[in-house]
Amino acid sequence: MLKFISLIFGLLIMSFLNEFMTFISYLVFLGLGWLFMYNSNLVSMSYFSCDSLSWFMVILTFWIIVLMLLSSHSYKVTNFFYQKFTFVLMLMLLLLFFTFTCSDLLSFYIFFEGSLIPIYLLIVGWGYQPERLQAGIYLLLYTIFASLPLLISIFFVGDYVGGFSMSLLSFGCDESMWVSFWFMFSIFAFLVKLPAFYVHLWLPKAHVEAPVSGSMMLAGVLLKLGCYGLMRFMMFFQGKVAFLSSVLVSLGLMGGLAVSFICLRQVDLKALIAYSSVSHMGLALGGLGSWGLWGYSSCLYTCVAHGLCSSGLFFLSGVIYERESRSWYYKGYLEIMPSMAFDDLFYCIGNIGSLWFMRFMMFFQGKVAFLSSVLVSLGLMGGLAVSFICLRQVDLKALIAYSSVSHMGLALGGLGSWGLWGYSSCLYTCVAHGLCSSGLFFLSGVI
Amino acid sequence: MASLWRVSSSLLSRLGGKQALATSIRCVSTSTDKKDIIDANVTTGPIQEPHRVTLSPEAKQKLRGEVKTDQWQSFGWSIESEAEDRRLMHYVFFCTVSCGIVLGSLIWAYLPDARGLDWAHREAYLQLHLRESEGRPLLDPNLIDPALIELPSDEELGDTKIII
C-alpha cells in the first residue's frame, strides 16, 4: 500500500514542475499497478486496508483523475494556473486514496471532510460564474453540518466496541434502545453526501457552478463517498435496524422518482445531469436499504457505473459549454459534430441505465417471483408483437426504435425467468443492444 | 408514365375527342436560360459524348491525401504546432486506450484466481464427489453441532421480532 502512497506524494511534488500531460502516464500505470490488488483482502489492524469495496473506489478515483486532467487541457494552453490545478488534483487523489483505504474510523472521518477542501478550491478557483461562491458555501455547510452527528457517533461507536478500527464494526451492535436514532445520526452525513432526496439541494448548485473537471470529480467519486460510508457503517447496525429498510428504500426510490420529474423541467444540461445523478444515487440507496447481499453489491456496481457515465456526460456538457458559452439544451448537434453526438447518445443510453432494471429486480427477487410468468410473457410476446410493427416501418429511425423495444422485451423476458442464465442474458442483451442501437441511430443520422 | 399518358390520350381521341390533345408533351425543359441548378460544365448546343470531368495530376494527389498542405486540423491538443498536437494525441491515446483500457482489461481478465472463485468451485466439486462416494448427505443439516448453539429462552425473547 505504501508504494502507492509514496508515488502519489511524488506526483504531488511533481505538480510544481510545470508538467501537465505527463501525469496521465503516471496515473495510468499507478492504476494498472492497483489492478493487481484485486485479490487482496487485507483486513488487518494496520493503518491501511483493502477489500473489494475499496478496490473499486480507488480504481474509479484513478480513472476519474485521468479524465479530469484530459478535460482540463485548456488550462495548460491558456496558462490559467495549471500548476495549482494539478496540485489540487493530486491532493484530491491523495485524500481520496486515504479515505478509501484507511481502516480507522476517525481517520476516515478526517479524510472524508478533508476531501471537501480540494473540491471547494476547484469550484471557487476554476468555476465560471459568480454564483460559484454560494455553491461552494452550500457544499461546505451542508456536508460539515451533517457530519457533526457522524463524528459524535464515531466516538460513541469507538467507546462501544473498544476501538476505532473498521474491522471491529462487524461485531455489530447489541443495544436495542435508541439504536434507530443512533443509526440515523450516523448515516445522516452519508445521506447528504449521497445525496438523498430532501438533502440534495447542494448538488445542483455545486455541479452547475463547478468547472468540468470539478463536476466530473463530484459526480464520479465524491458522491460515492456517501455510498462507501453507508456500506461500512451499515455492517455495524445490521439486523438491529432492518425494520428501517422500508424508510431507506422509499427515500431512495421515491426521492429518485421525484427528482427525475424535476429533471424533465431542466433547461441547463449540467443541472439535468446533476438531478439525474441524484436519481441514480437514490436507486443505490434503495439497493442498500434492502439489507440484502444483492442490494449491497448492486449499490457498489451502480456507483462504479454511474461514476463513469456521469463523468462522461459532464465532459460532453463541457464541450458544448466551450463552444456555446452556456450549457443549455441545444439541438442539432448530429449535423455539426456527429462524433460528439454519437458519444452523447452512447452515454445517455448508459445513463438511462440498461442495468437499472436489473438492480431493481435484484433486491425484490424473492418477493415478486410470482410475477415471473407475467414478465416473461410480457417481454416475449410484446417483443414479438412489436417486431411485426417493425416490418411496416418506412422511416429508418422508427424502425430502429421499434426494434429496440423488441430487443428490450427479449431482455425483460430473460430477466423474468429469474435464473442465472436469464439474468446474464439480460445483461448481455442490454450491453450489446446499447452498442448496436446507438450505432444504428448514428448511421441513420448520417443517412 | 409517359406511355400511359399516350395510351389514354389515344383512346380518348378514338372515342371522339377532336380537340388537340397534348400527345407529344415531353416534360423536359429545352430552354437555354440560366437554371437554378448549378451545372459545372454547361455548354450550349448538342451534348458531346463522352462527357467526363478530367482532373489534373495535382488535383488527384490532393484528393488522395498525398500532398501536405499548410492547412492542418488540430485535434485540440495544440493550436500553434501541428507536431505538438499530433505528439500529444498519440501520447494520450496510447496511455489511456492502449495501456489503460486494453492492458488493464487484459490484466483484470487474467488475474490469477481472483478472490478465490476458482478454488471455491473446485473445492465444492471435490467435496461433492467425496460425499457421494462415502454415501454421506451432500449438505449436512447439522453443519454446526446443535449442542453448541445457545438460544435465548422465551422469557428473554419477549416481544422481539425474529427475522430470518
Side-chain angles (χ1 to χ4, degrees):
Chain A
M1 201 68 71
L2 271 178
K3 58 181 172 283
F4 296 101
I5 292 164
S6 54
L7 284 167
I8 295 170
F9 262 118
L11 288 175
L12 199 65
I13 295 163
M14 204 173 96
S15 61
F16 294 108
L17 298 176
N18 289 346
E19 294 294 336
F20 199 80
M21 280 297 159
T22 45
F23 280 100
I24 289 173
S25 54
Y26 290 115
L27 286 165
V28 165
F29 287 113
L30 256 180
L32 286 177
W34 185 255
L35 276 178
F36 289 100
M37 303 287 284
Y38 186 58
N39 278 331
S40 58
N41 204 4
L42 310 165
V43 185
S44 66
M45 301 305 278
S46 72
Y47 194 70
F48 296 109
S49 65
C50 173
D51 63 354
S52 59
L53 186 52
S54 314
W55 185 85
F56 272 108
M57 292 293 128
V58 169
I59 203 88
L60 184 65
T61 310
F62 277 126
W63 190 245
I64 296 293
I65 296 277
V66 166
L67 296 178
M68 284 167 75
L69 270 170
L70 281 177
S71 68
S72 309
H73 183 65
S74 60
Y75 298 149
K76 176 82 191 317
V77 170
T78 56
N79 197 16
F80 186 64
F81 303 105
Y82 66 92
Q83 298 105 321
K84 294 181 176 64
F85 179 77
T86 49
F87 178 78
V88 167
L89 245 59
M90 293 307 123
L91 181 65
M92 174 80 86
L93 175 65
L94 190 67
L95 287 169
L96 286 171
F97 186 86
F98 280 138
T99 315
F100 291 128
T101 55
C102 70
S103 61
D104 190 53
L105 271 177
L106 207 50
S107 309
F108 167 73
Y109 174 81
I110 290 166
F111 295 124
F112 176 79
E113 295 296 298
S115 63
L116 281 174
I117 297 168
I119 193 65
Y120 179 75
L121 289 173
L122 271 177
I123 292 174
V124 170
W126 284 272
Y128 307 117
Q129 314 298 334
E131 288 82 7
R132 70 186 188 272
L133 300 171
Q134 192 201 29
I137 297 294
Y138 260 72
L139 167 74
L140 279 182
L141 286 184
Y142 258 84
T143 312
I144 292 170
F145 175 73
S147 58
L148 185 61
L150 172 66
L151 182 63
I152 297 168
S153 172
I154 286 173
F155 284 127
F156 208 67
V157 166
D159 184 55
Y160 188 83
V161 298
F164 290 112
S165 177
M166 281 187 189
S167 51
L168 294 171
L169 286 178
S170 54
F171 288 114
C173 162
D174 234 357
E175 294 287 325
S176 54
M177 262 191 58
W178 297 109
V179 71
S180 51
F181 182 72
W182 185 5
F183 176 67
M184 284 303 177
F185 219 59
S186 312
I187 66 165
F188 186 57
F190 304 121
L191 290 178
V192 168
K193 198 76 180 178
L194 206 64
F197 194 59
Y198 300 119
V199 287
H200 70 283
L201 292 170
W202 64 273
L203 186 108
K205 286 192 187 297
H207 268 124
V208 168
E209 303 305 331
V212 174
S213 48
S215 296
M216 288 167 79
M217 173 48 73
L218 267 171
V221 186
L222 293 179
L223 301 193
K224 283 69 193 168
L225 274 174
C227 262
Y228 179 82
L230 262 174
M231 289 161 96
R232 290 288 187 215
F233 255 82
M234 281 166 108
M235 283 194 288
F236 179 66
F237 292 97
Q238 283 193 27
K240 298 292 174 191
V241 288
F243 62 92
L244 282 176
S245 73
S246 53
V247 173
L248 283 178
V249 171
S250 53
L251 180 65
L253 296 184
M254 296 311 292
L257 185 68
V259 163
S260 59
F261 285 127
I262 300 172
C263 257
L264 294 170
R265 289 195 62 240
Q266 293 308 316
V267 175
D268 190 346
L269 203 56
K270 284 183 97 168
L272 192 149
I273 304 164
Y275 278 110
S276 79
S277 295
V278 177
S279 183
H280 288 140
M281 286 296 108
L283 202 71
L285 178 63
L288 271 183
S290 66
W291 286 105
L293 180 64
W294 279 33
Y296 193 88
S297 54
S298 79
C299 176
L300 173 61
Y301 295 139
T302 309
C303 286
V304 175
H306 175 261
L308 297 170
C309 199
S310 267
S311 307
L313 282 170
F314 274 116
F315 173 75
L316 290 164
S317 75
V319 166
I320 293 171
Y321 184 86
E322 279 170 14
R323 281 138 182 86
E324 306 289 345
S325 73
R326 61 186 69 159
S327 56
W328 281 9
Y329 208 90
Y330 289 103
K331 299 200 296 184
Y333 270 103
L334 200 60
E335 317 295 331
I336 329 168
M337 295 193 282
S339 302
M340 194 215 81
F342 168 68
D343 290 336
D344 217 341
L345 177 68
F346 193 71
Y347 279 103
C348 284
I349 287 173
N351 209 37
I352 290 165
S354 315
L355 301 173
W356 79 267
F357 198 72
M358 286 195 290
R359 301 297 165 227
F360 182 71
M361 283 296 163
M362 266 176 164
F363 62 86
F364 276 136
Q365 187 193 10
K367 294 183 176 68
V368 294
F370 66 92
L371 279 178
S372 68
S373 57
V374 174
L375 281 173
V376 171
S377 55
L378 177 68
L380 296 181
M381 299 314 290
L384 189 64
V386 164
S387 61
F388 283 120
I389 300 173
C390 262
L391 293 170
R392 290 196 59 239
Q393 292 307 314
V394 175
D395 181 25
L396 188 60
K397 280 189 168 171
L399 192 144
I400 301 166
Y402 279 113
S403 74
S404 299
V405 175
S406 176
H407 293 144
M408 285 297 110
L410 202 69
L412 182 63
L415 198 61
S417 64
W418 288 123
L420 179 65
W421 279 35
Y423 170 77
S424 47
S425 77
C426 178
L427 167 67
Y428 295 136
T429 310
C430 287
V431 171
H433 174 262
L435 293 168
C436 290
S437 66
S438 53
L440 283 170
F441 273 116
F442 171 68
L443 288 170
S444 70
V446 168
I447 291 164
Chain B
M1 192 70 210
S3 54
L4 279 172
W5 174 258
R6 279 200 295 277
V7 163
S8 62
S9 59
S10 66
L11 275 172
L12 279 169
S13 62
R14 258 187 253 142
L15 283 170
K18 291 216 171 123
Q19 297 87 349
L21 290 168
T23 58
S24 61
I25 287 179
R26 299 285 186 271
C27 300
V28 175
S29 167
T30 52
S31 156
T32 53
D33 294 338
K34 204 171 178 185
K35 296 185 179 39
D36 291 333
I37 299 163
I38 298 165
D39 193 0
N41 290 316
V42 168
T43 52
T44 53
I47 296 167
Q48 291 163 8
E49 297 283 352
H51 185 68
R52 285 191 193 128
V53 174
T54 53
L55 291 171
S56 63
E58 292 84 17
K60 281 182 189 170
Q61 272 189 310
K62 263 194 182 172
L63 273 174
R64 280 190 222 117
E66 290 165 6
V67 175
K68 246 186 157 350
T69 61
D70 290 334
Q71 305 283 333
W72 62 279
Q73 188 72 29
S74 167
F75 286 127
W77 304 105
S78 171
I79 48 176
E80 282 109 22
S81 161
E82 189 189 356
E84 181 71 10
D85 184 59
R86 300 307 187 245
R87 184 188 75 82
L88 276 172
M89 185 268 292
H90 286 303
Y91 173 74
V92 167
F93 270 80
F94 175 73
C95 288
T96 53
V97 179
S98 307
C99 293
I101 295 172
V102 175
L103 208 59
S105 312
L106 186 74
I107 292 169
W108 196 359
Y110 286 98
L111 280 173
D113 194 15
R115 315 202 69 78
L117 208 65
D118 295 337
W119 174 87
H121 276 108
R122 205 168 41 240
E123 189 64 23
Y125 279 116
L126 284 169
Q127 285 294 317
L128 283 171
H129 177 72
L130 186 70
R131 285 172 194 208
E132 275 170 359
S133 56
E134 289 177 0
R136 283 192 286 151
L138 297 178
L139 197 63
D140 190 359
N142 292 332
L143 189 67
I144 301 166
D145 187 4
L148 298 174
I149 299 171
E150 289 176 22
L151 291 170
S153 62
D154 285 334
E155 293 85 28
E156 281 174 342
L157 274 174
D159 286 333
T160 315
K161 244 188 193 175
I162 298 168
I163 304 162
I164 297 170

